[in-house]
Amino acid sequence: MTHATLRSLSASEAVALPPLLHALWLDAHGDWTAAHSLVDELETPDGCSVHAYLHRKNGDASNAAYWYPRTGKPAFTGSLADEWTALATHLLTP
């Protein structure tokens, strides 16, 4: 699956995704709140990455700054669209 395919899934297909991919799908379809609820307690590095992205997208830079160090990687500095694509690509890579 590619990031474009992920974005194009139907809602019934998306619910079968692992939580982080489902969160990205929800975000791509305008449901930030539901996306955030899926990652709110996932404190793995990947969970923290999606969590940081969601707070950055929501305009909460201080909350995003809290989560980025927990990812083990530098904070993403590109566009939100590029960050979404990078996260989806990473999570889809076996």
Side-chain angles (χ1 to χ4, degrees):
M1 179 183 311
T2 67
H3 64 86
T5 306
L6 170 64
R7 193 180 290 271
S8 69
L9 293 175
S10 69
S12 61
E13 293 169 317
V15 297
L17 293 167
L20 294 175
L21 288 171
H22 190 199
L24 289 177
W25 183 91
L26 287 163
D27 172 67
H29 288 85
D31 196 343
W32 185 94
T33 301
H36 183 262
S37 72
L38 284 177
V39 302
D40 198 28
E41 297 191 25
L42 295 177
E43 295 197 18
T44 64
D46 287 341
C48 291
S49 293
V50 175
H51 203 158
Y53 158 77
L54 288 170
H55 281 291
R56 181 174 171 239
K57 182 174 183 181
N58 199 38
D60 189 350
S62 64
N63 208 330
Y66 171 85
W67 290 103
Y68 278 118
R70 286 153 180 74
T71 69
K73 298 178 258 181
F76 197 92
T77 58
S79 72
L80 289 168
D82 287 346
E83 187 171 10
W84 188 97
T85 298
L87 286 166
T89 300
H90 169 71
L91 293 170
L92 289 166
T93 302

